[in-house]
């Protein structure tokens, strides 16, 4: 039974149990398939519409990765500037806090109006959603330099820039990783909301079209594709964190 020690094996067992329970509920309850299709029917929809799902999933994945990259880069640069400059902290932190009082998802229709129904509006929605968690987590880590390291930097007369990149940044990497975990959880939902608001491609668009036509199995299939993207992103991030540690 040593194979049970492997996390992927345990995850597959849990998934299999959940799917079996789902199928059993569908059989026993007799719920109409247009309300809740069973996993067997969803699997058939995945197989029968593989080309269609792949086409829309590529559009969603490109927007998701582009938004993640832009949001992470902007968040890291902002956190570094906040840590380096007291003036920047004085000016930008209240703006960041105020910006979070306005739900980004409420801005999605406006962004679609300004940027159109293409990829740009979806990328910006993802970027804005993950920007604050990355900035906040990384900045908190940068400002929590242990006192002995701060004293060492003072004794060595290190410049603020050298102190930042040689001491604060390495110490803050676990905090940045925590912010990235939040980012990869929020980002798939953000890109789908952007596609729901206005798009002619993507998994979100496909879900809306399938729902309008009563193709609930196809809607679930698109949702499974999105969940797969989320798991791949989270798994890649965990692997990166494991390599670092």
């Amino acid at each position: 039974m040593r194979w049970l020690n492997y996390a992927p094996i345990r995850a597959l067992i849990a998934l299999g149990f959940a799917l079996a329970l789902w199928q059993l509920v569908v059989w026993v309850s007799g719920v109409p398939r247009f309300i809740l299709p069973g996993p067997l029917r969803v699997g058939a929809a995945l197989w029968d519409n593989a080309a269609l799902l792949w086409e829309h999933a590529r559009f969603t994945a490109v927007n998701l990765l582009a938004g993640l990259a832009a949001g992470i880069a902007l968040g890291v640069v902002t956190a570094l500037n906040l840590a380096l400059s007291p003036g920047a902290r004085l000016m930008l932190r209240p703006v960041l806090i105020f910006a979070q009082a306005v739900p980004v998802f409420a801005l999605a229709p406006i962004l679609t109006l300004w940027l159109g129904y293409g990829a740009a509006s979806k990328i910006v929605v993802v970027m804005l959603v993950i920007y604050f968690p990355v900035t906040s987590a990384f900045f908190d880590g940068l400002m929590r330099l242990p006192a002995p390291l701060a004293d060492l930097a003072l004794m060595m007369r290190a410049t603020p820039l050298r102190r930042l990149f040689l001491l604060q940044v390495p110490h803050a990497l676990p905090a940045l990783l925590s912010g990235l975990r939040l980012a990869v959880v929020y980002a798939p939902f953000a890109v789908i909301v952007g596609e729901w608001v206005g798009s002619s491609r993507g998994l979100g668009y496909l879900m809306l079209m399938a729902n309008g036509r009563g193709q609930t199995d196809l809607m679930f299939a698109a949702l499974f594709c999105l969940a797969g993207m989320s798991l791949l992103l989270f798994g890649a991030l965990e692997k990166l964190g494991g390599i670092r540690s």
Side-chain angles (χ1 to χ4, degrees), residues 64-82 123 126-128 130-136 138 142 176 179-180 183:
L64 176 60
L65 293 175
L68 269 173
I72 291 170
L74 186 60
V76 167
V77 170
T78 302
L80 290 174
N81 278 281
L82 290 174
I123 293 172
V126 175
M127 181 186 72
L128 292 178
I130 70 169
Y131 168 66
F132 183 79
V134 173
T135 303
S136 179
F138 192 32
L142 290 171
L176 175 60
L180 294 180

Side-chain angles (χ1 to χ4, degrees), residues 83-155:
L84 194 60
S85 171
R89 291 198 293 273
L90 184 65
M91 295 177 60
L92 292 180
R93 288 198 73 187
V95 175
L96 290 173
I97 294 172
F98 175 77
Q100 287 305 297
V102 180
V104 175
F105 296 126
L107 299 177
I110 300 175
L111 294 172
T112 302
L113 179 65
W114 288 347
L115 301 175
Y117 285 78
S121 58
K122 287 71 184 169
I123 293 172
V124 171
V125 169
V126 175
M127 181 186 72
L128 292 178
V129 165
I130 70 169
Y131 168 66
F132 183 79
V134 173
T135 303
S136 179
F138 192 32
F139 174 71
D140 287 345
L142 290 171
M143 300 306 291
R144 291 179 181 175
L145 187 67
L149 292 179
D151 293 339
L152 176 64
L154 187 62
M155 291 174 55

Side-chain angles (χ1 to χ4, degrees), residues 139-223:
F139 174 71
D140 287 345
L142 290 171
M143 300 306 291
R144 291 179 181 175
L145 187 67
L149 292 179
D151 293 339
L152 176 64
L154 187 62
M155 291 174 55
M156 300 297 294
R157 297 181 181 179
T159 64
L161 204 59
R162 289 177 64 86
R163 169 189 161 118
L164 176 67
F165 284 102
L166 295 181
L167 295 178
Q168 289 175 270
V169 169
H171 185 265
L173 288 180
L176 175 60
L177 189 62
S178 297
L180 294 180
R181 288 192 181 100
L182 290 176
V184 299
V185 170
Y186 293 155
F189 179 59
V191 74
I192 288 298
V193 168
E195 291 175 356
W196 282 346
V197 170
S199 181
S200 59
R201 285 188 294 167
L203 291 175
Y205 166 80
L206 184 60
M207 290 171 68
L208 286 179
M209 293 301 100
N211 183 53
R213 297 170 182 171
Q215 296 175 301
T216 315
D217 49 356
L218 180 58
M219 186 174 66
F220 271 85
L223 185 61

